[in-house]
Amino acid sequence: MFTYKKWSRQTFVTVAIGTALLSGCSPATDSPKDQHLTFVYNFATLSLDPHRDSSYVPLRAGVTETLVRLDDDKLTVEPWLAKSWTNESQTVWRIVLQEDIQFQNGEPLDAAAVKASLERSIRENAGVKNALNIKSITVDGADLLIETQTVYPEFISELVNPNTAIIDIDAKRIDTQPVGTGPFAVSNFSPGTKVDLTRFDGYWGERAKLESVDFLFNEDAGARTMALQSGQADVVYRPEVESVDQLKNKGLTVEAVETFRVHQLTMNVSNGPMQSLPVRQAIDALVDRDELVDHVLQGYATVATGPFIQSFPFAPTYEKQTQRTAVSYLKQAGYTLQDGQMQKNGQPLTLTLLTYSARPDLPLIAQVLQDDAKKIGVTIKIKQIDVPEEYMGSHRDWDLATYSNLTAPRGDAGYYLHATYHPQGGLNFSGVNDPSLTRQLDRLKRTVKPTERNVLAEQIAREVDAKQLNSFLLHPSTLVAYDKTHVKGWKTEKSEYYMITNQLEVR
Amino acid sequence: MWIGILLIYLGTHSPYTTDVTQRLASSSMQHWLGTDALGRDFLARLILAGVISFLFSGVTVLLTATVGTVLGLFAGYYGGLLKRIIHRIEESLIIFPDTVLALVLAGLLGAGINSLVLAILLIKWVSYARLTETIVSSTKQSEYIWMARVNGLSDAMIVRRHLLWTVLRQVRVLMSVDIGKIILFLSAFSYIGLGVQPPVPEWGAMLNEARPYFQAAPRFMIWPGLCIVLTVSASMWWNRRLQQQTAKKGV
Amino acid sequence: MGRLFVRQTGEALFFLFFMTFGSFALLRFLPGDPVLTLLNIDELSASPEQIETVRRELGFHEPLLAQYIDWLSRVGRLDLGESFMTGRPVLLMLGESYRATFEIAGSGLVLALLLAVPLGTWSACSNRHVVRLTADGVSLIGAAVPSFWIGLVLTDWFAIRLPWLPVMGRDGVLSIVLPAVSLSLALASIYIQLLRVNLQTELAKEYIQIARARGLSEQTIFWKYAFRGSLPPVLAVFTLSLGSLAGGVVVLEVLFAYPGVGKLMVDAVLQRDYPLIQGYILLTTAIIVALNVIMRLVTQHLRPDWRGGGMR
């Protein structure tokens, strides 16, 4: 055999140089700016098109603004780009715009620009088209006249939707460089990685205190937490729940705020055992909500009494009922315990529970429920599905489903109640067809006055509770972690809409 | 014996029973390797994951080997148009990397085990068919097959009596290494959520589930990984031994 | 050579047609569609009629062949449609993510070759125990340890316990290191084995003995004959792994949240983003087929007697 000493030495030199080239260089570090903030968000968007992006990054990053906004304390709709609005007739709204607003490219924001932007969002986003229900938009001097297709009391609150944000539609590359009216403009966008923001000095409100912001995306909670601990990030959205104590020990602030979301058990009332009211009540009684809050969500949630969080004016206050056990409800429904199983006419009670992994809490909740049911002799079969809306909409071979919903994302109860309990509703997977509920929901659709709407919505929510249509489990909280001595002016909003604002500053 | 102990453990500890008051418990007499984020016994889940991986891999390998061997036998024994058709299909499939095909199938048929089995089957049968064909076409020329034919044995008889065993001995060698490879493949796809679906345990899926807890409890990272490595190494070791055996006996 | 090229190209085109039409048909016949996601049904109301309208607008009710011809004619104009998820052009999105994939795959491949070529060749012609053990060790690690586990362990050490490298994401050269190293180990193992086996076979051949008898230098024999002769099977596997990398380094991209084409596909699969899935199948198949045509031509050039095949 022969050797290649010379040759191998050469190779090793090459290897060494190659490795040095690949791993030795470090990224160019920016010189630290005085008023610079790094924010890490938990969803990685591939597009910045404000009318399409369902993660709402342009609005959350302070690039775009909507005509109206949701006040987080009062949970009411407040003016933003629109100064005021009036009802000209049943279906026509007059919208008066703020004056002297300009886009980040210097173009003025006038009625024609708003019209063009709204029309683009309707064209680009079928969901927005349905939600706005607009028949025509006319420019009337400095105002807009908007006619809806039907009497549509929710119209103004629907304009809270971040996908209706007003942008200059003539700007190029809307998907990567949208031009809005917010306090920050996009300077660079790397899809799936980050957005670089710089202050817009011509902002119509108070000029932002920060000069620039790095808005990073990272879908891994552990990595986001690490970024905060290592000082790479200043504010982190949804840090890892397990490390909250550790963060607090290091003197960081972790804020937990309840959201408009509810985790619920959707019940199929159109066929199978869940048609029976006492069986539905039994399942509702079976759920140990405190256990779910404490152990599955580690305390970062509030127990749900109904679909809406208590701070909404239309959320009913439910009287404490005498605590009845699931077993007693099942007895009432005619079930008896035989051979360790709840049976009726020789048929054991077996329920199919759907769950999906897009929201990681839900499969855990399903498993806890399965276990609790087993203890009282009820068999729950868990079926894992991909897209819950798709499956529940097209199949009837299930009894229960873990589901999660935003119940009043734009401050109005109409959307959720109608979608979930009206026979024509898009989210009525339960198959609810209750004449009394339908009548009231139709009335809600025609009622314009906010106070009257709230009374009616509360009444409907009560009836849903009495008939035990679905079981509401908990409202998960949003966690935000940052260093309070360093970052000023951060507010964790229940709506999760407004994140980077002109009020933020660093010390 | 070890397997026996582990199976008894699995029999006495449910891998699915959740106990949220016992979340992330460390090792104890009751839970030998502690519990996971839902309070499920970790060792029981590891064992069941192993059983599932072996079943999945075993069934897939058998299926693949059967399809490949049968097609290879036909192509090698009869030749002609059939052989040409089979070759064309082989050539088209062999250029496709298994991960890409699995991803494409998941895109078409949805995420889950079915797409994976189909992807493996489509890719791997080719090597079995080629191996079988080579053996068959070379032995076909040999004297004793010719003798058998002269003696009036039917095609099926010849294949069964003389060819099949030679082929199977070689196929076994290939199968032994594929078992490990498929377990590796399954764990990778389960890790990214396109394989075994929860709550069924699988080593790759368990690694993904437990990722947030690695710092607090490194056992979640070490054990499933070690299980994969040991299983795959065992499959490779077995393969090497079979290879040596076959080489000694000669073909 | 010319005729071979024409034949190969013709076959490749037929294959592309087969793949795209097949996937097109399958996607349309399978139950479920992305309309509900598209309407953001979780947050916005939509009645069954409105859902049906959108479905019609997307052309899901058109006959299959009409849909396919429409798609094909747009492909002819380099228009792969718009992604359902983002509304951005599919070609643009795939282009962006191919770049990210290339960063990991390219550096992983270079590292793997830097590891495999010396180890493989050296262990083929050296009797030294240390060399064999190193080569065996590296290839065992690469073959039996899943790359994502290597990735997890490396992250644990180098990004968390010793925070030298970023945990994940795509932010500069440093973020490429961990995925590239994890990938290179898996790849290197294949090439070490392959190079060694093929070199040993080649060196044992008669013509090498003849060359040696004729007094050619060992260097010449090794490089000009043995190494060159052992290349075709290595090249076949190399092409396969190039194709596989072009399809995305799926597991590592997901693990390191690196926005490559594999991760994009996983997201597209979960969201049923048909235009994106379709575009991915077309482009990836095209790349793989093209790579194979090139590989065969190169092989012909290197060793006219060697015919296809290779191993997996």
Side-chain angles (χ1 to χ4, degrees):
Chain A
M1 270 290 165
F2 41 94
T3 53
Y4 295 95
K5 270 193 186 140
K6 194 176 149 206
W7 170 75
S8 58
R9 199 172 300 137
Q10 271 173 0
T11 324
F12 276 113
V13 172
T14 323
V15 173
I17 292 172
T19 321
L21 273 177
L22 273 163
S23 57
C25 0
S26 54
T29 42
D30 294 306
S31 57
K33 288 176 203 131
D34 291 339
Q35 282 297 322
H36 176 83
L37 180 121
T38 303
F39 175 79
V40 191
Y41 184 54
N42 63 314
F43 186 85
T45 188
L46 296 169
S47 164
L48 279 190
D49 186 335
H51 296 155
R52 292 290 298 254
D53 171 27
S54 56
S55 55
Y56 306 150
V57 167
L59 183 100
R60 287 174 166 155
V63 175
T64 58
E65 294 171 322
T66 43
L67 288 173
V68 294
R69 62 177 286 151
L70 198 64
D71 182 282
D72 216 60
D73 301 316
K74 291 180 282 179
L75 294 180
T76 50
V77 174
E78 301 292 323
W80 208 5
L81 290 178
K83 195 155 65 180
S84 62
W85 52 90
T86 45
N87 224 189
E88 295 268 296
S89 75
Q90 280 277 50
T91 53
V92 178
W93 297 82
R94 172 177 294 275
I95 293 181
V96 183
L97 299 172
Q98 305 269 13
E99 286 135 38
D100 296 329
I101 296 182
Q102 55 174 344
F103 288 110
Q104 287 145 1
N105 58 5
E107 295 290 322
L109 176 112
D110 52 18
V114 174
K115 173 177 148 78
S117 176
L118 285 177
E119 281 171 350
R120 180 180 184 275
S121 68
I122 290 169
R123 204 166 53 235
E124 287 287 319
N125 190 322
V128 168
K129 182 184 174 188
N130 293 337
L132 290 185
N133 194 23
I134 287 178
K135 190 174 173 190
S136 69
I137 307 176
T138 14
V139 176
D140 184 36
D143 302 347
L144 281 176
L145 286 177
I146 298 180
E147 187 180 0
T148 54
Q149 292 187 351
T150 50
V151 180
Y152 194 43
E154 300 105 309
F155 177 71
I156 293 296
S157 84
E158 290 297 332
L159 290 172
V160 168
N161 185 340
N163 284 144
T164 66
I166 306 304
I167 55 167
D168 179 7
I169 68 157
D170 295 324
K172 291 192 181 87
R173 310 285 331 262
I174 290 175
D175 56 347
T176 51
Q177 289 259 311
V179 174
T181 55
F184 293 97
V186 176
S187 55
N188 185 42
F189 171 55
S190 330
T193 313
K194 69 170 184 169
V195 193
D196 295 334
L197 304 165
T198 44
R199 176 167 65 200
F200 168 44
D201 288 324
Y203 183 54
W204 61 281
E206 189 188 333
R207 197 180 77 144
K209 296 184 173 80
L210 293 171
E211 282 163 24
S212 58
V213 176
D214 279 357
F215 195 105
L216 306 180
F217 314 132
N218 202 316
E219 293 178 336
D220 186 274
R224 289 196 297 276
T225 316
M226 288 300 309
L228 184 69
Q229 284 177 322
S230 66
Q232 231 180 318
D234 300 305
V235 181
V236 161
Y237 212 73
R238 301 203 180 171
E240 190 180 275
V241 170
E242 276 69 31
S243 53
V244 167
D245 292 335
Q246 201 185 330
L247 291 175
K248 283 181 176 164
N249 286 340
K250 287 193 177 171
L252 297 162
T253 305
V254 182
E255 288 180 356
V257 167
E258 64 180 345
T259 58
F260 300 159
R261 191 167 277 288
V262 72
H263 284 3
Q264 65 176 50
L265 279 176
T266 299
M267 298 166 165
N268 176 3
V269 298
S270 67
N271 61 349
M274 301 310 289
Q275 282 172 295
S276 144
L277 174 63
V279 175
R280 297 203 293 271
Q281 287 169 323
I283 295 298
D284 186 62
L286 184 66
V287 181
D288 185 346
R289 292 176 174 77
D290 292 318
E291 187 193 15
L292 294 181
V293 167
D294 287 347
H295 295 298
V296 176
L297 283 106
Q298 273 109 78
Y300 296 103
T302 44
V303 165
T305 46
F308 307 111
I309 55 173
Q310 282 301 311
S311 15
F312 276 117
F314 44 80
T317 39
Y318 302 90
E319 307 98 60
K320 275 267 174 199
Q321 286 170 340
T322 44
Q323 284 293 313
R324 278 181 64 187
T325 62
V327 175
S328 79
Y329 279 119
L330 285 178
K331 290 237 165 77
Q332 183 189 338
Y335 287 91
T336 48
L337 193 66
Q338 278 163 18
D339 316 322
Q341 279 193 315
M342 278 291 174
Q343 299 193 350
K344 185 180 180 179
N345 309 329
Q347 286 290 317
L349 182 58
T350 307
L351 301 170
T352 304
L353 169 62
L354 304 178
T355 191
Y356 55 100
S357 52
R359 298 201 167 271
D361 317 332
L362 296 182
L364 307 189
I365 291 176
Q367 284 164 26
V368 171
L369 194 72
Q370 181 185 41
D371 231 49
D372 288 344
K374 202 168 160 191
K375 286 175 196 147
I376 61 161
V378 176
T379 312
I380 288 185
K381 283 194 208 142
I382 294 181
K383 188 176 160 94
Q384 194 83 19
I385 52 172
D386 280 340
V387 188
E389 292 85 7
E390 205 171 82
Y391 189 93
M392 291 193 285
S394 56
H395 293 72
R396 292 280 94 185
D397 57 351
W398 54 278
D399 303 296
L400 294 166
T402 57
Y403 191 58
S404 182
N405 237 155
L406 281 171
T407 47
R410 291 166 296 279
D412 191 280
Y415 148 69
Y416 171 80
L417 292 176
H418 194 273
T420 314
Y421 298 106
H422 196 280
Q424 290 297 308
L427 295 176
N428 188 352
F429 305 123
S430 307
V432 176
N433 192 350
D434 183 301
S436 141
L437 269 179
T438 309
R439 212 165 34 242
Q440 293 180 67
L441 285 166
D442 285 338
R443 232 179 85 207
L444 182 66
K445 242 190 145 52
R446 290 190 309 267
T447 310
V448 179
K449 229 178 138 192
T451 43
E452 281 172 38
R453 285 184 67 77
N454 289 348
V455 172
L456 198 53
E458 186 177 339
Q459 207 175 311
I460 297 171
R462 261 184 214 292
E463 193 158 331
V464 164
D465 180 59
K467 292 179 174 161
Q468 195 69 64
L469 296 166
N470 303 338
S471 179
F472 304 96
L473 310 176
L474 49 89
H475 304 289
S477 302
T478 274
L479 293 180
V480 176
Y482 62 101
D483 184 351
K484 225 171 191 158
T485 59
H486 175 57
V487 176
K488 299 277 177 206
W490 172 266
K491 185 167 187 301
T492 309
E493 306 240 344
K494 297 187 200 68
S495 68
E496 303 185 76
Y497 285 150
Y498 320 111
M499 294 175 183
I500 305 298
T501 64
N502 54 351
Q503 296 302 314
L504 273 170
E505 62 179 310
V506 290
R507 291 261 166 87
Chain B
M1 194 192 73
W2 280 106
I3 294 174
I5 293 177
L6 292 180
L7 285 180
I8 291 169
Y9 188 88
L10 183 60
T12 51
H13 295 73
S14 162
Y16 292 120
T17 308
T18 57
D19 180 358
V20 280
T21 57
Q22 288 273 319
R23 298 177 75 240
L24 303 170
S26 46
S27 302
S28 64
M29 275 310 284
Q30 206 208 333
H31 303 290
W32 291 4
L33 286 183
T35 57
D36 71 0
L38 278 175
R40 296 174 296 196
D41 189 280
F42 190 58
L43 180 58
R45 287 181 70 75
L46 270 183
I47 302 168
L48 184 63
V51 174
I52 285 166
S53 296
F54 269 110
L55 279 181
F56 173 86
S57 183
V59 170
T60 317
V61 160
L62 273 180
L63 203 66
T64 314
T66 314
V67 172
T69 312
V70 168
L71 288 175
L73 275 175
F74 274 112
Y77 198 79
Y78 293 108
L81 183 66
L82 189 71
K83 181 171 161 177
R84 289 234 302 279
I85 293 174
I86 291 178
H87 278 197
R88 297 299 312 146
I89 304 175
E90 282 176 0
E91 273 170 33
S92 311
L93 283 174
I94 201 148
I95 66 167
F96 254 89
D98 45 8
T99 46
V100 176
L101 193 74
L103 207 54
V104 167
L105 284 174
L108 299 177
L109 307 176
I113 280 208
N114 296 343
S115 307
L116 287 191
V117 176
L118 196 59
I120 296 172
L121 182 66
L122 279 176
I123 293 286
K124 292 238 185 239
W125 72 270
V126 176
S127 36
Y128 289 92
R130 287 198 166 171
L131 176 74
T132 312
E133 199 202 306
T134 319
I135 300 169
V136 173
S137 27
S138 63
T139 358
K140 205 172 75 174
Q141 321 296 337
S142 69
E143 216 162 301
Y144 73 96
I145 299 283
W146 183 77
M147 288 290 283
R149 192 166 292 160
V150 168
N151 285 334
L153 278 155
S154 73
D155 284 354
M157 292 272 273
I158 294 173
V159 168
R160 206 163 53 216
R161 283 222 185 137
H162 301 283
L163 285 175
L164 204 57
W165 287 114
T166 328
V167 169
L168 284 187
R169 205 179 305 135
Q170 291 289 324
V171 162
R172 201 177 54 162
V173 177
L174 202 52
M175 279 172 73
S176 65
V177 73
D178 273 347
I179 291 232
K181 281 188 185 167
I182 291 173
I183 289 180
L184 210 57
F185 188 76
L186 175 72
S187 69
F189 270 79
S190 300
Y191 180 84
I192 58 173
L194 297 181
V196 172
Q197 301 293 319
V200 180
E202 195 285 333
W203 293 324
M206 287 171 75
L207 279 169
N208 191 22
E209 276 169 27
R211 207 170 164 198
Y213 316 108
F214 283 175
Q215 263 65 59
R219 66 171 188 280
F220 289 135
M221 179 171 77
I222 295 166
W223 285 109
L226 269 187
C227 287
I228 301 175
V229 174
L230 289 179
T231 320
V232 180
S233 312
S235 141
M236 281 164 49
W237 177 78
W238 186 38
N239 170 262
R240 203 167 270 195
R241 268 198 34 169
L242 283 180
Q243 258 176 354
Q244 283 162 358
Q245 271 178 23
T246 331
K248 251 184 244 160
K249 278 186 192 166
V251 180
Chain C
M1 199 81 163
R3 255 187 60 209
L4 180 78
F5 184 74
V6 171
R7 212 190 104 196
Q8 297 268 345
T9 317
E11 274 177 16
L13 283 178
F14 175 77
F15 190 64
L16 270 180
F17 166 78
F18 177 80
M19 279 298 292
T20 52
F21 186 73
S23 56
F24 207 85
L26 260 175
L27 279 180
R28 294 309 186 273
F29 280 126
L30 289 166
D33 61 46
V35 172
L36 294 173
T37 331
L38 208 57
L39 285 176
N40 197 3
I41 196 97
D42 182 29
E43 289 182 42
L44 300 172
S45 58
S47 68
E49 294 90 68
Q50 288 169 326
I51 294 173
E52 204 46 40
T53 313
V54 176
R55 213 165 263 159
R56 225 179 0 253
E57 279 167 7
L58 288 175
F60 289 161
H61 289 290
E62 305 253 326
L64 180 71
L65 205 64
Q67 285 185 48
Y68 182 71
I69 290 172
D70 180 49
W71 180 78
L72 207 61
S73 70
R74 281 190 289 117
V75 168
R77 282 174 269 137
L78 283 182
D79 173 13
L80 294 183
E82 285 177 358
S83 148
F84 286 163
M85 290 193 285
T86 64
R88 304 183 63 205
V90 167
L91 201 60
L92 191 74
M93 289 179 75
L94 283 173
E96 276 165 6
S97 42
Y98 269 122
R99 250 178 53 198
T101 292
F102 182 76
E103 288 168 9
I104 309 187
S107 37
L109 200 60
V110 169
L111 271 185
L113 290 180
L114 287 178
L115 207 62
V117 174
L119 276 176
T121 37
W122 208 14
S123 68
C125 46
S126 161
N127 275 333
R128 301 258 302 272
H129 211 63
V130 194
V131 179
R132 296 229 152 183
L133 269 180
T134 323
D136 276 345
V138 174
S139 54
L140 183 81
I141 291 175
V145 187
S147 60
F148 65 92
W149 197 56
I150 301 181
L152 285 173
V153 175
L154 288 179
T155 310
D156 198 57
W157 282 348
F158 294 106
I160 294 175
R161 279 174 220 281
L162 306 166
W164 291 346
L165 296 165
V167 178
M168 53 173 58
R170 182 191 184 201
D171 196 14
V173 185
L174 279 183
S175 59
I176 302 179
V177 176
L178 287 183
V181 169
S182 318
L183 176 67
S184 68
L185 279 173
L187 284 176
S189 120
I190 308 171
Y191 292 116
I192 292 176
Q193 293 286 353
L194 204 64
L195 261 176
R196 179 159 69 183
V197 172
N198 281 297
L199 269 175
Q200 280 173 342
T201 325
E202 212 57 33
L203 282 170
K205 280 190 182 160
E206 210 171 332
Y207 77 96
I208 299 281
Q209 311 296 332
I210 298 171
R212 206 165 277 161
R214 272 171 50 201
L216 289 175
S217 82
E218 290 290 331
Q219 296 268 349
T220 321
I221 295 174
F222 188 81
W223 289 113
K224 216 162 165 212
Y225 298 101
F227 192 74
R228 194 176 155 140
S230 68
L231 272 184
V234 179
L235 207 61
V237 177
F238 186 68
T239 314
L240 193 71
S241 49
L242 273 188
S244 164
L245 294 175
V249 197
V250 190
V251 182
L252 292 176
E253 283 170 9
V254 173
L255 175 72
F256 290 102
Y258 212 85
V261 72
K263 185 170 186 298
L264 184 69
M265 243 328 256
V266 173
D267 290 343
V269 166
L270 297 176
Q271 304 264 349
R272 291 200 156 264
D273 193 331
Y274 294 160
L276 207 51
I277 298 177
Q278 204 74 57
Y280 170 85
I281 293 178
L282 174 75
L283 278 190
T284 310
T285 315
I287 293 176
I288 291 173
V289 169
L291 282 172
N292 272 275
V293 173
I294 296 171
M295 184 265 289
R296 286 194 198 167
L297 295 175
V298 172
T299 310
Q300 281 279 319
H301 180 71
L302 275 177
R303 252 177 74 172
D305 61 308
W306 200 76
R307 297 198 52 78
M311 50 184 271
R312 295 206 84 84

